[in-house]
Amino acid sequence: MGPHPAVAAIRLAVRRVLHDILDEQLSPHPAQPAAHARPGPLAAQLPGQPPLGASKPGRVRATAAQAAHGSPAAHAAPAAHAAPDTPAAPDTPAPHERPPSPLVLVACSGGADSMALASALAFEAPRLGVRAGGVTVDHGLQAGSEMRADEVAQRLRALGLDPVEAVAVTVGRDGGPEAAARDARYAALDAAVERHGAHAVLLGHTRDDQAETVLLGLARGSGIRSLSGMAAVSGAGGRYRRPFLHIDRQTARKACMVQSLPVWDDPHNTDPAYTRSRLRHEGLPALEKALGKGVVEALARTAQLSRDDADALDAWAGQAEATVRDNAGRLECAKLYALPPAVRRRILRRAAIDAGAPAGSLFARHIEEVDRLITGWRGQKAINLPGRVVAQRQGGRLVIRQG
């Protein structure tokens, strides 16, 4: 008798991601995986490794700024060896030429989604010759958070993950509490990748999280890129992987229940002070009541379609940018005017960011004002952008520079 369907679903999702990682390592010219790529055929398994021993409990203390710089990468792990008398598979390096066994970390808060992910990684990784570890981040925003982080780390070790660490961060205030906590968390995860020389970090975002992200982007009115939600592969070098974007939250919780995995439910997830919490417990249920079931699936599908479109438009803008600059590299207004608005505005946004405007502070209204220098020129004054960047029209050229 096989595993429970919920357990089988989460394991399959993780197995596919691990095969992608192994394929990247074995490929002579590994490419950045496409965020929208569908899982391909499963690659040949690498020989397994002996069980990993549990590491001693440890905690790391870092501010968001310190974590962003990280520490030197750990030494590479020993290479996996083939069993005696086992011929090397075709089109793969000989056993003595195989790259070191990759280390994959799971980011775990102790909630149902990330605990299900950790359990699936612990089950699948040794079968594929992949080393598996875990990181839990203590944001320090609740009483007893340090103790809970240590408990989560112990649970990860009990699953057989190694290395495992609890990382404490200091959450700032920029962008509001949710954004500041997210920035501190990713900075800590980036530093953990560098410390341990990890190939990837698995994140437990589900299809429900994707639907919420799409609705939040829609509410901001910030364009098709916001509607594309979270990518299956993101971060520097594709280090962040989200295996559960096609799995609903209830499946992950069910997988924890049938495996008797302890789960911690963060009270912030039900606190109406947080926008995402209100959307989860009030907004989405109201939409489903008005529109019927299937809203979450439809929003997740919208994210994928929007991502495909946004990627295509970004590529078009990248190619078109060289054609709208003069010999001195200045943007020519007449040539910009001839481009479709979606392509032109992407070029303007990229130029503003290159001039020093912070991407997170550059909104659609800023780009629309700059665009009017092209499409509605009436002798307007210069446009002030975030980061002390100024955009102005001079002699048929658009100049975007530090003010």
Side-chain angles (χ1 to χ4, degrees), residues 46-72:
L46 291 179
Q49 292 183 314
L52 297 168
S55 62
K56 294 181 180 180
R59 290 180 61 82
V60 178
R61 180 73 197 177
T63 64
Q66 291 168 333
H69 290 86
S71 304

Side-chain angles (χ1 to χ4, degrees), residues 8-24 26 38-46 89-90 92 124 127-128:
I10 64 171
R11 288 178 179 175
L12 177 60
V14 169
R15 191 184 317 147
R16 285 171 167 165
V17 169
L18 294 182
H19 274 291
D20 288 343
I21 291 170
L22 290 172
D23 286 346
E24 292 161 22
L26 294 175
R38 304 179 76 83
L42 297 182
Q45 292 189 8
L46 291 179
T92 61
E124 294 291 341
R127 287 160 173 77
L128 298 177

Side-chain angles (χ1 to χ4, degrees), residues 321-336:
E321 184 172 358
T323 70
V324 297
R325 291 186 181 274
D326 61 16
N327 293 334
R330 296 172 299 181
L331 292 167
E332 298 188 63
C333 296
K335 292 180 178 179
L336 282 169

Side-chain angles (χ1 to χ4, degrees), residues 44-271:
Q45 292 189 8
L46 291 179
Q49 292 183 314
L52 297 168
S55 62
K56 294 181 180 180
R59 290 180 61 82
V60 178
R61 180 73 197 177
T63 64
Q66 291 168 333
H69 290 86
S71 304
H75 294 294
H81 294 288
D85 303 323
T86 301
D91 301 323
T92 61
H96 64 279
E97 296 175 344
R98 284 197 178 109
S101 176
L103 171 64
V104 176
L105 302 174
V106 59
C108 185
S109 66
D113 302 340
S114 57
M115 281 302 298
L117 182 59
S119 72
L121 177 62
F123 181 85
E124 294 291 341
R127 287 160 173 77
L128 298 177
V130 174
R131 295 181 297 133
V135 179
T136 184
V137 178
D138 172 17
H139 298 86
L141 299 177
Q142 302 172 28
S145 63
E146 181 177 349
M147 181 178 66
R148 271 191 297 274
D150 288 337
E151 288 175 355
V152 172
Q154 291 291 352
R155 292 172 188 171
L156 296 180
R157 294 187 186 98
L159 289 172
L161 301 183
D162 181 34
V164 170
E165 64 179 11
V167 182
V169 298
T170 300
V171 177
R173 297 183 178 181
D174 292 346
E178 292 171 278
R182 182 174 60 250
D183 290 345
R185 179 166 60 254
Y186 277 102
L189 294 175
D190 284 338
V193 168
E194 299 301 324
R195 250 191 324 273
H196 297 290
H199 185 98
V201 179
L202 305 189
L203 304 175
H205 297 120
T206 64
R207 185 170 63 189
D208 301 77
D209 295 310
Q210 185 74 298
E212 294 162 8
T213 302
V214 172
L215 283 177
L216 289 170
L218 184 63
R220 287 193 297 268
S222 47
I224 195 171
R225 180 56 73 184
S226 285
L227 297 185
S228 66
M230 296 175 286
V233 179
S234 65
R239 65 176 44 161
Y240 292 113
R241 312 293 173 107
R242 297 177 175 86
F244 287 178
L245 287 183
H246 299 289
I247 293 177
D248 64 86
R249 192 175 287 143
Q250 286 304 313
T251 296
R253 185 169 287 275
K254 184 70 173 179
C256 289
M257 186 180 72
V258 299
Q259 295 179 99
S260 300
L261 293 174
V263 168
W264 175 66
D265 290 313
D266 187 347
H268 282 173
N269 290 336
T270 56
D271 188 344

Side-chain angles (χ1 to χ4, degrees), residues 239-377:
R239 65 176 44 161
Y240 292 113
R241 312 293 173 107
R242 297 177 175 86
F244 287 178
L245 287 183
H246 299 289
I247 293 177
D248 64 86
R249 192 175 287 143
Q250 286 304 313
T251 296
R253 185 169 287 275
K254 184 70 173 179
C256 289
M257 186 180 72
V258 299
Q259 295 179 99
S260 300
L261 293 174
V263 168
W264 175 66
D265 290 313
D266 187 347
H268 282 173
N269 290 336
T270 56
D271 188 344
Y274 295 96
T275 304
R276 187 176 284 270
S277 175
R278 293 195 302 274
L279 180 60
R280 180 175 301 176
H281 298 287
E282 300 174 21
L284 269 173
L287 281 176
E288 289 195 333
K289 183 177 180 180
L291 302 176
K293 294 292 183 180
V295 169
V296 168
E297 292 86 343
L299 288 169
R301 189 165 57 251
T302 296
Q304 185 59 70
L305 295 171
S306 298
R307 181 166 296 279
D308 292 343
D309 291 348
D311 288 345
L313 287 169
D314 285 348
W316 186 355
Q319 295 169 357
E321 184 172 358
T323 70
V324 297
R325 291 186 181 274
D326 61 16
N327 293 334
R330 296 172 299 181
L331 292 167
E332 298 188 63
C333 296
K335 292 180 178 179
L336 282 169
Y337 183 85
L339 291 174
V343 176
R344 180 175 63 244
R345 289 173 181 171
R346 278 169 164 75
I347 294 174
L348 297 179
R349 176 178 173 81
R350 188 176 303 174
I353 292 172
D354 289 345
S361 302
L362 197 60
F363 301 130
R365 66 176 185 273
H366 296 128
I367 303 304
E368 288 169 3
E369 288 298 320
V370 177
D371 196 39
R372 288 194 185 96
L373 297 177
I374 308 297
T375 62
W377 175 242

